[in-house]
Amino acid sequence: MSSTFMKQALWVPLATLALGVASGLAVGRAAPPPPASGNEELLRLLEGQRALLEALPARLAAEAGARQVQCAVDTPSGASTELAALRTELASLREELALGHGARTRPPEPPPEPSPQAIAARQQGLQVIEAASRSGEWKTEDAQALREQLADMGDDQRQEVMRRLIVLLNEGKLKRRTQGPLF
């Protein structure tokens, strides 16, 4: 092989390498900058959402203040007096609400004291449950006896007795041996 051929063979790879580096630099400078990282974009979007959420209460309050309650009624002939009365009542209710003097509800009355019969029925119901818990079984006879006592109890007492029985069953302290309802 001649030395000329060797010189030419050496220059071709070097020229290709130099051309590749130069074109890479040129393309790199001409390319747009890389996009913002995903975190920065996400933070920008979250800030936009925050601004919308912070503005929402004021916008809702402004819209609610601008709205008025309107009632559409299909009135048969002769019902105009009823419609007028309803409109008058609605107007007075609006005024009361605007003044903050809406109808006040009475405080709930305390439940009445249970009768002596209800107190005795509660005590007997608890005794039925206690006797069953000593034996560890809730039988059909126990359910029937408790059912008779529940009829004479008030709501609060009935709830208390039934809760006691259910807790014992759920804890496994009583095994259910009944046919039919639990109580």
Side-chain angles (χ1 to χ4, degrees), residues 76-129:
S77 60
S80 61
T81 56
E82 291 178 18
L83 181 60
L86 283 173
R87 285 185 176 154
T88 305
E89 187 176 345
L90 277 174
S92 67
L93 287 173
R94 282 187 192 129
E95 289 174 11
E96 286 180 20
L97 288 174
L99 295 173
H101 299 292
R104 306 276 186 218
T105 57
R106 293 187 315 191
E109 296 179 14
E113 289 293 320
S115 67
Q117 180 183 6
I119 293 172
R122 174 190 166 274
Q123 191 62 32
Q124 289 174 352
L126 289 173
Q127 287 174 357
V128 168
I129 294 171

Side-chain angles (χ1 to χ4, degrees), residues 9-77:
L10 184 61
W11 284 102
V12 171
L14 287 175
T16 306
L17 180 65
L19 184 61
V21 169
S23 63
L25 288 173
V27 168
R29 287 186 183 170
S37 73
N39 290 340
E40 291 173 4
E41 179 69 15
L42 184 60
L43 287 174
R44 187 183 61 75
L45 290 172
L46 285 174
E47 285 299 321
Q49 290 296 319
R50 172 188 266 164
L52 287 173
L53 285 174
E54 288 174 349
L56 185 62
R59 209 172 108 208
L60 288 175
E63 287 179 12
R67 290 186 194 163
Q68 289 186 1
V69 177
Q70 295 181 355
C71 186
V73 179
D74 183 21
T75 60
S77 60

